[in-house]
Amino acid sequence: MLVLNVYSMMYGALLMHGIATCWVDRFSGLRQYDLSLDGQEDIPLGDTAYKTAELAGRIKRDAYEHYLLLQEFVDQMGQMWSPALTVIFITSMTFIVYCLYTIIAVDNIDAFLWAWVGSCGVYAILLSVYCMAYANSSMNALVKCFRNGATPGDFCVIGGRESWLAFVDSAPAYWMIFGFAITYGVLYSAIGTFGAAFIGTIVLYVSSAL
């Protein structure tokens, strides 16, 4: 069950990353494009011709609806996975602590075998954190479209850079667990914590064996 939960998280992270990447691919190219420069010419789109102002409104609406789809998706994932991740974390940590206790306190055991078994719990936690960090990195890429190198006059077709910066700040689309967004910084901190615990366990085991 634990393995199925973790791998279903991976699938959800891939979906979120795909939706956010699709937004970047579709709209980042409109950064310096201004439909108002084309006057009021008719622009064919399928079987219908649209005025430039009407077409600009449709593109802007599409950009907002696409973003709101992403936001709703991650909001639902956060609500669904917060309890599940709590169970995964508690179960994995209990398993890890039991393995560490067995290695340190019990005599005549295969310490390397128990260390490998305990690493499965570490893997479950780190993989869960990585899935959320990977998914949220796509949101960071979306925000960078408006922050890095863009000027106030960019993205006028979809409402303007300043409007979008205010919008994504007020309605962020991050995969949150109990209101906390998981990033690669959290992942690196978790790796450092488990690494320190692993080294400490080795030191204690060697000390007790001497």
Side-chain angles (χ1 to χ4, degrees):
M1 182 62 69
L2 180 62
V3 174
L4 289 177
N5 283 336
V6 172
Y7 279 96
S8 61
M9 282 188 63
M10 294 176 61
Y11 180 70
L14 288 173
L15 285 179
M16 176 183 171
H17 191 274
I19 296 173
T21 302
C22 180
W23 192 102
V24 174
D25 292 341
R26 291 181 66 182
F27 301 107
S28 62
L30 300 175
R31 172 181 168 184
Q32 295 181 328
Y33 189 72
D34 189 357
L35 283 175
S36 64
L37 299 178
D38 297 329
Q40 293 298 318
E41 298 179 0
D42 291 336
I43 299 178
L45 187 64
D47 297 330
T48 307
Y50 296 93
K51 297 294 184 181
T52 53
E54 183 181 3
L55 185 60
R58 287 175 176 267
I59 295 173
K60 178 180 177 181
R61 178 178 177 180
D62 186 36
Y64 275 98
E65 288 181 345
H66 194 147
Y67 181 85
L68 290 174
L69 170 65
L70 173 63
Q71 185 191 39
E72 178 64 20
F73 181 76
V74 297
D75 182 62
Q76 292 296 326
M77 284 202 304
Q79 294 181 25
M80 179 179 65
W81 279 105
S82 288
L85 283 174
T86 302
V87 174
I88 291 175
F89 182 79
I90 293 176
T91 302
S92 299
M93 287 302 300
T94 303
F95 189 62
I96 293 168
V97 170
Y98 176 76
C99 291
L100 293 177
Y101 170 78
T102 303
I103 293 172
I104 296 172
V106 180
D107 297 330
N108 299 321
I109 64 165
D110 189 340
F112 292 101
L113 174 62
W114 278 95
W116 181 85
V117 172
S119 67
C120 294
V122 176
Y123 174 77
I125 293 177
L126 293 182
L127 185 58
S128 301
V129 175
Y130 172 76
C131 288
M132 291 181 287
Y134 173 76
N136 287 333
S137 68
S138 60
M139 178 59 191
N140 292 331
L142 190 155
V143 174
K144 286 180 180 179
C145 290
F146 302 108
R147 295 193 187 279
N148 294 353
T151 62
D154 290 345
F155 295 102
C156 60
V157 176
I158 57 175
R161 172 181 178 268
E162 301 303 321
S163 296
W164 269 94
L165 283 175
F167 180 65
V168 297
D169 286 340
S170 63
Y174 287 105
W175 187 351
M176 296 188 178
I177 301 300
F178 297 112
F180 183 72
I182 304 297
T183 63
Y184 281 122
V186 176
L187 174 63
Y188 298 146
S189 298
I191 293 175
T193 300
F194 285 116
F198 178 74
I199 294 174
T201 302
I202 293 177
V203 172
L204 289 174
Y205 177 74
V206 173
S207 300
S208 62
L210 295 177

